[in-house]
């Protein structure tokens, strides 16, 4: 059986894969955060007997493969338990949920994971550091907490510097507005306005690239997609801004054998069997700028006509079939093959 773990019962990035699992007649169970932690489904975890019962079915015995699709504890609403909750109680509940989930993952540790639960917390700075071991070019990067050192770094990179979050893109909700974080290019006048010291932040060399490449990686298979702006203007620091101001053109892209091998070695080092890799193409050079360990795929699948959701479902079925009789699945169509 295939176990699908996700934060919500219905998610844009999870539903298409589940549709293919259902189409193939694959045995699967979908569980959300609300079902496992917040009491929407009967769940009993027997610590002594090491069993995970969901509606009296021992999932630990039935499951062979786990698709780990973004399962994070949510901040509960104020009226979840019929009481007014202070901020500290929100945080305590999240910690309780995290500890419960950690043990559930432990019980399923011997299963085949996509990706492994220990790999989704990969640190962006460690990725950049390890990439150099495999001769993958990355931007010059530095953590800085004062204006003097930032000005030095700014001069060293000839005034081409960006800043971005270390942990990942975030957004904030206030009233009827959502505030998003973007990668921002720094200008001298903005640096002049900074205080002498500030919160430690990530600054990177801004790469003057020809275009960006979004590469979806699935257990050794690579699906690269080139994203070219319609105008030959100066590339913006964050492609999300480019999408808002002008249409992008999407084209198939082919990696060299050396590039494939280097990226494969890096993914093995990071213990990642699925992810999305952001790259910049500058002449003959390919520069790695980020790795998303969960693996955004739906937009890239649609724009590149790749049917990546089908490829993910078939991978899960294949891995499950290593432990059970594959004849239990209905045979629908051919297996999706990557283009790289």
């Amino acid at each position: 059986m295939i176990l699908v773990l996700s934060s919500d019962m219905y998610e844009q990035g999870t539903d298409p894969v589940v549709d293919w699992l259902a189409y193939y007649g694959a045995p699967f169970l979908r569980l959300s955060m609300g079902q496992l932690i917040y009491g929407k489904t009967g769940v009993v975890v027997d610590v002594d007997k090491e069993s995970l019962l969901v509606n009296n079915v021992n999932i630990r015995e039935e499951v062979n493969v786990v698709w780990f699709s973004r399962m994070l504890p949510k901040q509960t609403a104020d009226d979840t338990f019929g009481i007014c909750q202070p901020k500290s109680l929100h945080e305590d509940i999240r910690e309780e949920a995290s500890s419960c989930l950690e043990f559930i993952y432990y019980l399923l540790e011997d299963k085949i994971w996509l990706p492994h639960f220990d790999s989704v917390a990969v640190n962006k700075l460690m990725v950049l550091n390890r990439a150099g071991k495999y001769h993958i070019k990355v931007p010059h990067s530095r953590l800085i907490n004062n204006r003097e050192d930032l000005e030095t770094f700014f001069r060293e990179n000839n005034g081409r510097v960006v800043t971005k979050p270390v942990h990942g893109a975030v957004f904030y909700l206030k009233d009827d507005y959502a505030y998003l974080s973007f990668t921002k290019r720094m200008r001298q006048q903005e640096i002049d306005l900074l205080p002498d010291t500030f919160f430690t932040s990530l600054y990177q060399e801004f790469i003057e690239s020809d275009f960006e490449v979004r590469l979806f990686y699935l257990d050794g298979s690579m699906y690269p997609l080139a994203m070219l702006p319609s105008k030959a203007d100066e590339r913006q620091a964050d492609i999300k801004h480019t999408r808002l101001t002008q249409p992008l053109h999407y084209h198939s892209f082919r990696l060299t054998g050396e590039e494939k091998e280097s990226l494969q070695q890096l993914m093995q080092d990071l213990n990642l069997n699925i992810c999305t890799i952001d790259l910049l193409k500058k002449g003959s050079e390919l520069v790695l700028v980020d790795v998303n360990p969960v693996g955004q795929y739906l937009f890239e699948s649609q724009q590149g006509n790749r049917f990546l959701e089908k490829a993910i479902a078939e991978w899960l079925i294949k891995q499950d079939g290593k432990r059970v009789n594959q004849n239990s699945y209905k045979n629908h169509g051919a297996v999706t093959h990557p283009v790289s």
Side-chain angles (χ1 to χ4, degrees):
M1 178 185 290
I2 299 166
L3 177 61
V4 179
L5 296 178
S6 58
S7 295
D8 293 310
M9 195 57 187
Y10 302 100
E11 289 181 331
Q12 182 183 24
T14 308
D15 294 348
V17 174
V18 170
D19 288 344
W20 277 106
L21 292 177
Y23 176 74
Y24 279 115
F28 71 91
L29 175 66
R30 184 173 185 173
L31 290 176
S32 68
M33 175 65 65
Q35 292 172 299
L36 275 177
I37 300 299
Y38 298 130
K40 295 183 179 180
T41 296
V43 176
V44 176
V45 178
D46 193 316
V47 178
D48 299 328
K49 296 181 180 179
E50 297 184 342
S51 65
L52 170 59
L53 301 178
V54 178
N55 290 337
N56 296 319
V57 177
N58 192 342
I59 300 304
R60 189 163 186 260
E61 294 180 355
E62 298 291 333
V63 166
N64 297 310
V65 183
V66 181
W67 182 30
F68 188 55
S69 178
R70 296 187 184 277
M71 193 170 219
L72 299 172
K74 293 184 174 182
Q75 184 161 316
T76 57
D78 288 343
D79 60 352
T80 301
F81 301 103
I83 59 175
C84 180
Q85 298 180 37
K87 183 177 179 180
S88 59
L89 184 53
H90 281 293
E91 295 171 352
D92 290 340
I93 291 174
R94 286 172 62 90
E95 290 300 321
E96 284 288 302
S98 296
S99 296
C100 292
L101 287 173
E102 185 178 2
F103 186 71
I104 290 173
Y105 301 157
Y106 167 77
L107 291 179
L108 300 171
E109 190 172 20
D110 62 335
K111 311 303 179 183
I112 299 172
W113 285 75
L114 183 74
H116 195 273
F117 62 89
D118 277 342
S119 301
V120 297
V122 62
N123 187 289
K124 180 184 299 187
L125 304 177
M126 293 180 182
V127 172
L128 295 172
N129 177 264
R130 293 185 187 182
K133 299 178 182 178
Y134 305 104
H135 309 290
I136 300 172
K137 183 175 176 58
V138 297
H140 298 304
S141 304
R142 198 168 296 178
L143 291 174
I144 298 174
N145 68 355
N146 65 89
R147 188 176 61 190
E148 181 179 353
D149 288 331
L150 175 56
E151 289 178 337
T152 299
F153 186 66
F154 190 76
R155 289 193 300 271
E156 290 174 354
N157 289 280
N158 300 315
R160 298 193 296 269
V161 171
V162 299
T163 184
K164 63 172 67 172
V166 176
H167 181 67
V170 296
F171 69 94
Y172 306 93
L173 299 176
K174 182 175 176 58
D175 300 326
D176 295 329
Y177 297 93
Y179 299 88
L180 307 179
S181 66
F182 292 92
T183 299
K184 170 155 179 72
R185 184 167 180 179
M186 298 298 297
R187 307 292 182 180
Q188 183 62 59
Q189 56 267 35
E190 295 167 331
I191 296 176
D192 293 339
L193 295 174
L194 290 174
D196 292 337
T197 60
F198 44 81
F199 187 84
T200 300
S201 305
L202 172 62
Y203 294 92
Q204 290 183 315
E205 168 194 11
F206 177 72
I207 304 295
E208 298 283 1
S209 63
D210 300 322
F211 57 87
E212 296 194 28
V213 177
R214 177 69 55 82
L215 187 151
F216 180 75
Y217 176 86
L218 178 61
D219 195 23
S221 298
M222 300 183 188
Y223 304 79
L225 182 69
M227 301 182 291
L228 288 74
S230 57
K231 300 178 182 178
D233 297 334
E234 180 185 64
R235 184 182 70 83
Q236 299 192 52
D238 195 316
I239 197 168
K240 293 190 289 294
H241 281 304
T242 307
R243 289 176 180 171
L244 293 173
T245 58
Q246 60 176 295
L248 293 174
H249 298 296
Y250 302 92
H251 298 275
S252 297
F253 183 80
R254 187 175 296 276
L255 300 173
T256 67
E258 184 178 349
E259 290 167 344
K260 289 181 184 178
E261 182 179 0
S262 296
L263 290 172
Q264 175 71 42
Q265 291 174 336
L266 177 61
M267 295 304 105
Q268 292 174 347
D269 188 349
L270 298 173
N271 193 30
L272 283 174
N273 54 8
I274 186 174
C275 67
T276 302
I277 305 172
D278 290 333
L279 302 155
L280 299 176
K281 184 66 173 176
K282 181 182 180 182
S284 61
E285 287 187 327
L286 203 60
V287 183
L288 185 149
V289 292
D290 204 0
V291 172
N292 178 350
V294 177
Q296 174 185 332
Y297 73 91
L298 194 56
F299 178 83
E300 293 73 17
S301 177
Q302 294 170 345
Q303 296 297 332
N305 196 29
R306 296 290 179 80
F307 296 96
L308 299 179
E309 59 275 20
K310 183 172 183 282
I312 296 172
E314 289 173 341
W315 187 93
L316 295 169
I317 291 171
K318 181 179 179 180
Q319 301 305 314
D320 191 32
K322 291 181 178 180
R323 300 191 181 187
V324 297
N325 186 355
Q326 282 185 298
N327 293 330
S328 63
Y329 297 114
K330 292 183 291 185
N331 184 16
H332 287 289
V335 174
T336 300
H337 294 286
V339 178
S340 61

